Amino acid sequence: MKNFNFQNPTRILFGKGRIADLNDQIPSDAKVMILFGGGSAERSGVLGQIREALAGRTLVEFGGIEPNPRYATALKAVDMINENNVDFLLAVGGGSVIDATKFIAAATKYEGDAWEILTSYGSVIKEAMPFGSVLTLPATGSEMNSGGVITNPEKEAKLPFNSSHCFPVFSVLDPEITYTLPPRQVANGVVDAFVHTMEQYLTYPSAAYVQDGFAETLLRTLIELGPKALETPKDYDIRSNLMWTATLALNGLIGAGVPQDWASHMIGHEITALNDTDHARTLAVVLPSLMNDQRDRKREKLLQYAANVWNIRDGSEDARIDAVIDSTRRFFEQMGIKTHLSDYAIGAPEIDHIVNALKEHGMTTLGEHDAITPEDARRILNAAL
């Protein structure tokens, strides 16, 4: 196991009716901006619950944050914060809204060009406004980590950032408010959490037995409960376990002291930047192809994954690896997510664009060995057609 530092300061308020506890989590003299996406937060009653919980406070509302949050939209929020002297932010939504809020919290305090936050991948962040979140879509784990991703269509860029200043102060996780999510969003959330886990697990052995066991439990839970969540959307036990699994998949625990990959994410980001494909769907395309392409480098962990997650123990090593890659792909398809680029209107010309974008954004040495080049990405994408 590698040396590591681990600290996660986010307070989690988990369970039914926890929005009612919001008032105690925010300083009494704070002027609060509520940030959200489209109309679903209003229609579902979540915003109403929040307004009730914060009755008597000075509130400012900023809506319209996109599913792949846009840089320009975030800057509009920064302007509104400055105009209204806001000093606490409350993100209401899934990973996109929380990611945007993290960027906004940092950009409000940054004196230079806010684009530098993204081109430096967050290294220039020295402070950020305090913020909390009310999670409505379990998927990204953004409610309990310090990273985010912002899209700039004008630059055809989707860039990640990370800073210790960007942890939420608190996050409210009420599984009941996920009951009305469309099946597409439920499926995306399950696959997103699955691939987050795989990026930290499917690398090479590092004698991190606790992290491996934890990751394998999260993967088995997603495989078992993901399809059931589509079948019985108002089962509290299923929804609560999926919500907590998605949070644990990317709150730092399973990634502490282990090598990490993240190549599927970096390649997937360029697909989204190109044609706005749902983030989770890009991952469902890239990961199985990358697993096969990198099977020699990942051989030991692929065999461990086959045995401990899918109970595939018979046959030759290559046969087991083939079987587990096929099982992974079929799981994504079972969740209703297509796993080939052709399903998303991407062919050879678009692959050329994606490869060039990786080069432009400095994504030239990806993976746990820093060995996946843009030309390797081209091969992985061609195999995913």
Side-chain angles (χ1 to χ4, degrees):
M1 193 187 307
K2 298 180 178 182
N3 292 2
F4 65 88
N5 295 331
F6 177 77
Q7 181 179 12
N8 192 314
T10 302
R11 179 184 301 112
I12 297 295
L13 287 71
F14 189 98
K16 300 177 182 180
R18 297 309 303 274
I19 290 176
D21 298 329
L22 269 178
N23 197 51
D24 295 334
Q25 307 305 314
I26 301 174
S28 59
D29 58 348
K31 189 171 186 179
V32 181
M33 173 181 276
I34 301 172
L35 302 101
F36 55 95
S40 60
E42 190 76 76
R43 291 191 300 272
S44 67
V46 173
L47 282 178
Q49 292 183 53
I50 290 169
R51 294 186 191 111
E52 182 178 352
L54 299 179
R57 288 177 175 267
T58 302
L59 303 177
V60 177
E61 297 188 5
F62 182 89
I65 295 174
E66 303 86 356
N68 290 300
R70 302 298 198 265
Y71 177 71
T73 303
L75 293 187
K76 291 177 183 177
V78 172
D79 290 340
M80 185 177 288
I81 287 166
N82 292 330
E83 291 166 5
N84 291 274
N85 297 314
V86 170
D87 48 23
F88 194 95
L89 306 180
L90 181 64
V92 181
S96 293
V97 174
I98 302 172
D99 281 9
T101 301
K102 290 176 180 177
F103 176 78
I104 292 162
T108 303
K109 296 289 188 179
Y110 188 64
E111 295 182 356
D113 181 353
W115 184 243
E116 295 171 356
I117 293 173
L118 299 174
T119 56
S120 72
Y121 305 109
S123 65
V124 299
I125 299 173
K126 303 304 179 187
E127 60 178 329
M129 289 184 64
F131 68 97
S133 80
V134 176
L135 182 67
T136 63
L137 172 57
T140 70
S142 192
E143 65 277 3
M144 200 179 180
N145 66 41
S146 57
V149 184
I150 298 294
T151 298
N152 188 334
E154 289 73 26
K155 295 181 180 292
E156 294 187 337
K158 181 174 181 178
L159 299 178
F161 67 96
N162 195 293
S163 170
S164 60
H165 300 285
C166 291
F167 280 101
V169 176
F170 66 85
S171 289
V172 175
L173 279 61
D174 181 347
E176 288 189 322
I177 66 178
T178 71
Y179 287 173
T180 58
L181 287 173
R184 181 187 185 95
Q185 291 187 347
V186 174
N188 282 350
V190 169
V191 170
D192 200 4
F194 190 95
V195 181
H196 283 164
T197 306
M198 291 287 277
E199 296 277 33
Q200 300 163 88
Y201 168 78
L202 196 72
T203 56
Y204 55 84
S206 58
Y209 307 122
V210 172
Q211 293 91 319
D212 275 4
F214 202 164
E216 288 162 0
T217 296
L218 298 179
L219 293 169
R220 289 194 300 267
T221 300
L222 292 165
I223 292 165
E224 178 183 354
L225 298 185
K228 292 179 181 178
L230 297 176
E231 297 166 3
T232 54
K234 294 187 178 181
D235 186 307
Y236 182 81
D237 289 337
I238 290 173
R239 288 304 177 101
S240 60
N241 277 280
L242 285 180
M243 181 171 257
W244 191 225
T245 297
T247 299
L248 293 172
L250 201 57
N251 73 345
L253 281 175
I254 65 170
V258 302
Q260 300 186 25
D261 185 344
W262 298 106
S264 293
H265 270 70
M266 297 306 105
I267 298 169
H269 286 167
E270 301 299 352
I271 299 173
T272 297
L274 174 66
N275 67 3
D276 218 25
T277 297
D278 296 1
H279 172 60
R281 289 161 196 263
T282 70
L283 301 178
V285 169
V286 176
L287 178 66
S289 184
L290 186 144
M291 290 166 68
N292 187 56
D293 187 87
Q294 298 291 305
R295 62 193 294 150
D296 289 334
R297 289 188 176 125
K298 295 179 180 288
R299 179 169 293 268
E300 290 180 79
K301 289 303 285 282
L302 277 165
L303 294 169
Q304 180 180 328
Y305 169 58
N308 293 353
V309 176
W310 291 97
N311 199 30
I312 298 171
R313 303 173 186 274
D314 297 328
S316 68
E317 287 189 355
D318 281 332
R320 280 177 276 157
I321 290 172
D322 288 340
V324 80
I325 294 172
D326 183 61
S327 294
T328 304
R329 188 185 298 278
R330 283 189 287 107
F331 169 61
F332 296 159
E333 298 272 358
Q334 184 183 10
M335 293 302 300
I337 294 183
K338 300 296 184 181
T339 58
H340 295 280
L341 287 172
S342 57
D343 297 315
Y344 303 97
I346 293 177
E350 289 77 19
I351 289 176
D352 286 340
H353 183 97
I354 292 164
V355 171
N356 288 332
L358 287 169
K359 295 176 184 176
E360 290 172 8
H361 297 142
M363 303 292 178
T364 57
T365 54
L366 300 176
E368 64 269 28
H369 299 287
D370 294 326
I372 297 178
T373 69
E375 290 308 313
D376 293 326
R378 183 191 301 279
R379 186 178 63 247
I380 290 165
L381 290 166
N382 281 327
L385 282 171

